Amino acid sequence: MLDIPSALRVQFDEQLEQLCVPKEMHWDYRKWLRYYLDFCHKYHFPITQKEILTKYISKLKEKKQTRSQQSQAFDAIKIFYKLHNTAVTTGAASQTNLDQKSPGGSKSFVSV
């Protein structure tokens, strides 16, 4: 399992705080990001290609993750994409493909 690079982890944790994600959920959000990075590495997908999110969620379905878990993973990766877009543009993050609905339909802390 790949670790989240320390600089990314700091930024990701800051975003979780800013989005008012409850502290007790931070570990889970980081877990989904780690799994996503591992998934992309294993299947040689570029980590910043937003179309990969659909494949990742499909893989979670195959692995029998609940709709709630899929939704949480979806939100975690949207946060990652938002961080990446902000870093690339050094301005407002691009919203392309980030306004997809969460697969579980549960409460999302991510408003993009």
Side-chain angles (χ1 to χ4, degrees), residues 5-24:
S6 59
L8 174 58
R9 181 174 170 159
V10 168
Q11 292 174 326
F12 191 76
D13 287 349
E14 287 172 356
Q15 279 295 302
L16 294 176
E17 290 288 329
Q18 288 178 9
L19 294 168
C20 300
V21 175
K23 279 266 193 215
E24 62 271 10

Side-chain angles (χ1 to χ4, degrees), residues 23-39:
K23 279 266 193 215
E24 62 271 10
M25 296 174 76
H26 287 200
W27 185 89
D28 291 318
Y29 275 66
R30 286 190 298 266
K31 172 185 73 174
W32 296 123
L33 178 56
R34 278 195 329 271
Y35 287 1
Y36 175 77
L37 295 174
D38 193 57
F39 172 81

Side-chain angles (χ1 to χ4, degrees), residues 16-65:
L16 294 176
E17 290 288 329
Q18 288 178 9
L19 294 168
C20 300
V21 175
K23 279 266 193 215
E24 62 271 10
M25 296 174 76
H26 287 200
W27 185 89
D28 291 318
Y29 275 66
R30 286 190 298 266
K31 172 185 73 174
W32 296 123
L33 178 56
R34 278 195 329 271
Y35 287 1
Y36 175 77
L37 295 174
D38 193 57
F39 172 81
C40 289
H41 178 75
K42 180 178 180 179
Y43 296 105
H44 308 286
F45 294 132
I47 61 173
T48 57
Q49 187 177 348
K50 294 173 188 69
E51 295 75 23
I52 301 306
L53 181 54
T54 304
K55 295 175 194 270
Y56 175 62
I57 297 300
S58 293
K59 183 58 125 177
L60 294 179
K61 286 178 190 175
E62 286 177 26
K63 297 284 188 176
K64 308 291 187 218
Q65 299 300 311

Side-chain angles (χ1 to χ4, degrees), residues 43-108:
Y43 296 105
H44 308 286
F45 294 132
I47 61 173
T48 57
Q49 187 177 348
K50 294 173 188 69
E51 295 75 23
I52 301 306
L53 181 54
T54 304
K55 295 175 194 270
Y56 175 62
I57 297 300
S58 293
K59 183 58 125 177
L60 294 179
K61 286 178 190 175
E62 286 177 26
K63 297 284 188 176
K64 308 291 187 218
Q65 299 300 311
T66 66
R67 305 258 305 153
S68 176
Q69 290 170 315
Q70 293 170 38
S71 178
Q72 194 177 63
F74 183 91
D75 286 347
I77 305 314
K78 283 176 53 175
I79 293 168
F80 167 70
Y81 290 155
K82 183 177 178 183
L83 286 171
H84 178 265
N85 286 340
T86 301
V88 168
T89 62
T90 62
S94 169
Q95 302 304 309
T96 308
N97 293 331
L98 291 180
D99 42 345
Q100 303 173 33
K101 292 201 181 207
S102 177
S106 61
K107 178 172 173 37
S108 173

